[in-house]
Amino acid sequence: MPSKNDKPNENEIKSLLSFYQKKQFVEAEKLALSLSSRYPNHSYAWKIFAAVLEQTNRIAEAVEINQKVIFLSGSDPEAHLSLGNCYNKLGKLDEAELSYKNALSLKSNYIQALNNLAIILNKSNKYEESVFYYRKIIELQPDFAQAYYNISLNL
């Protein structure tokens, strides 16, 4: 029986990531389920499982698994970003906004979270706040052309 601190070996992690990156989602899901069953407190397999669910349009299930990842490892900004992306796909804009803000509270210069938050705020008719985040993106990454374009749509 694995202890709370047990974790998958390096080859298992590499295989899981490889399956996911090659879009071999059936294999990735099987291995993620196996690893998360054997190592229930290790968040990485759960994280990949949530990503597979999202990629295969099982968004409500992905929300549930992303919440588990956050429970296991609340300080992971990517997990909050993934949860926000799922909420966005479900049309739950307030929940998406909160998830992106949680990601940014953990990593303030997280361009993807900043951009997704700005987009959600724009969808929610919070234009001034949206522009604020686009400007923050430009501060951090001046060559991010989409931010300039999106600001021009809001002015």
Side-chain angles (χ1 to χ4, degrees), residues 83-105:
L83 182 59
N85 292 343
C86 290
Y87 281 136
N88 182 23
K89 288 178 181 176
L90 292 173
K92 296 183 175 188
L93 302 184
D94 291 340
E95 291 89 340
E97 178 182 339
L98 179 60
S99 293
Y100 296 140
K101 285 181 176 178
N102 286 337
L104 290 167
S105 74

Side-chain angles (χ1 to χ4, degrees), residues 20-67:
Y20 180 76
Q21 288 175 331
K22 292 176 181 174
K23 299 186 185 314
Q24 296 173 326
F25 297 134
V26 171
E27 294 84 355
E29 183 173 344
K30 285 179 186 173
L31 184 53
L33 284 170
S34 171
L35 294 175
S36 59
S37 174
R38 287 187 286 146
Y39 309 102
N41 295 310
H42 192 265
S43 64
Y44 190 76
W46 289 109
K47 192 173 177 175
I48 296 295
F49 181 42
V52 167
L53 291 170
E54 185 178 354
Q55 290 296 314
T56 57
N57 289 318
R58 294 178 281 167
I59 308 303
E61 292 174 72
V63 165
E64 198 174 308
I65 301 302
N66 275 312
Q67 289 170 333

